[in-house]
């Protein structure tokens, strides 16, 4: 049983991280446990940016995007020396275990901290990419997908008016979940993801044929890891001579007020993670599988690669 825990958000922020941190803090306080907030990711441990939290410190944040704790990607923490220093800083404050909210890189750092310094760790997957192995869901993916669909709806109006090809680039360096989900729900004709090969020659000739038959517009959703939408748009235009426009959505996808799904799921994960950590469990990631909260071994979560749902990809092709 631990008496004092810390909560940290790390890596790219995602909408719903605040709800998760709030749940960790309030669960700990409900259990009579001391809880510290760590600011600006792992760098905040090294730079002593940690403060003891009270209930009111997490008031008025559940509806906000970003993370009230701040986040960072910290190079110093990537070294064993940095992690040893971090462990010493945590001990100085009396923090006995950490609840880490972040994506695969942040969870990898957490796993190393646990293995090398024997600090109890539980993880909560927080990233818009939805690419953490073992969980069907990561905090923020629902809000980001909804942000993308809002943009796609608007782009369809203008694409249809002008009979244009529209190429939209969404986030996802290694994982095409956002592109696939937004592409299916946005009725995209083509969804290009890093996990699947595609042939731009063939796509271009299909687009030309579709236009000849009277198609008013074509929507292509590209995950950033599949290639540059600007280059893809240029190639399609050169090959088809159809007016083509490119939109790179960028960081707009990471912001905004979290959806109900992200708030509720983040709250559930925050509570379960805090309770596990307090009870002395370690090296677990709390996620969702088939609608229920599950715990995943931390090492497994960071060493396995999540596979994009092939069935969903097949469906996208059938419906295009
Ligand atoms: O991992 C989350 C993510 O938003 C990715 O989709 C994207 O590739 C990356 O972070 C962008 O990182 P940064 O904010 O450092 O540019």
């Amino acid at each position: 049983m631990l008496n004092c825990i810390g909560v940290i958000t790390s890596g790219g922020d995602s909408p719903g991280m605040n709800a998760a941190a709030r749940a960790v803090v309030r669960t700990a306080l409900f259990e009579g446990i001391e809880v510290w907030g760590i600011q600006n990711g792992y760098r905040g441990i090294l730079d002593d940016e940690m403060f003891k939290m009270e209930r009111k410190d997490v008031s008025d944040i559940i509806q906000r995007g970003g993370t009230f704790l701040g986040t960072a990607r910290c190079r110093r923490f990537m070294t064993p020396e940095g992690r040893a220093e971090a462990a010493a800083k945590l001990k100085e404050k009396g923090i006995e275990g950490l609840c880490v909210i972040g994506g695969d890189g942040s969870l990898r750092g957490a796993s190393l901290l646990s293995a090398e310094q024997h600090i109890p760790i539980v993880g909560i997957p927080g990233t818009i990419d939805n690419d953490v192995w073992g969980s069907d869901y990561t905090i923020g993916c629902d809000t980001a997908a909804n942000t993308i669909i809002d943009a796609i709806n608007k782009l369809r109006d203008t694409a249809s008016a002008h009979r244009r090809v529209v190429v939209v680039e969404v986030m996802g360096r290694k994982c095409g979940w956002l592109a696939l989900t937004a592409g299916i729900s946005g009725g995209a004709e083509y969804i290009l993801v890093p996990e699947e090969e595609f042939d731009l020659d063939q796509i271009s000739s299909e687009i030309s044929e579709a236009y000849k038959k009277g198609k008013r517009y074509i929507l292509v959703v590209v995950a950033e890891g599949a290639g540059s939408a600007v280059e893809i748009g240029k190639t399609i235009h050169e090959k088809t001579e159809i007016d083509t426009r490119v939109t790179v959505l960028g960081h707009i996808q990471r912001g905004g007020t979290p959806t109900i799904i992200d708030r509720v799921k983040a709250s559930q994960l925050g509570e379960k993670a805090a309770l596990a950590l307090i009870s002395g469990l370690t090296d677990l990631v709390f996620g969702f599988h088939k609608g229920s909260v599950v715990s995943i071994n931390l090492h497994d979560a960071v060493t396995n690669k999540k596979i994009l749902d092939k069935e969903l990809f097949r469906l996208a092709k059938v419906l295009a």
Side-chain angles (χ1 to χ4, degrees), residues 12 73 127-129 171-173 224 251 254:
R73 292 191 168 101
T127 164
I128 64 165
D129 295 349
M171 280 187 168
R173 269 189 294 230
E224 62 182 329
H251 285 80
R254 284 242 295 265

Side-chain angles (χ1 to χ4, degrees), residues 265-283:
K265 285 193 187 297
S267 301
Q268 288 175 276
L269 295 179
E271 189 213 20
K272 290 283 185 271
L275 288 175
L277 186 63
I278 291 164
S279 73
L281 293 172
T282 182
D283 293 275

Side-chain angles (χ1 to χ4, degrees), residues 10-36:
S10 167
D13 61 299
S14 65
M17 277 185 165
N18 282 331
R22 171 179 177 270
V24 171
V25 170
R26 293 213 164 152
T27 301
L29 295 175
F30 187 83
E31 297 293 318
I33 301 299
E34 195 171 305
V35 56
W36 286 63

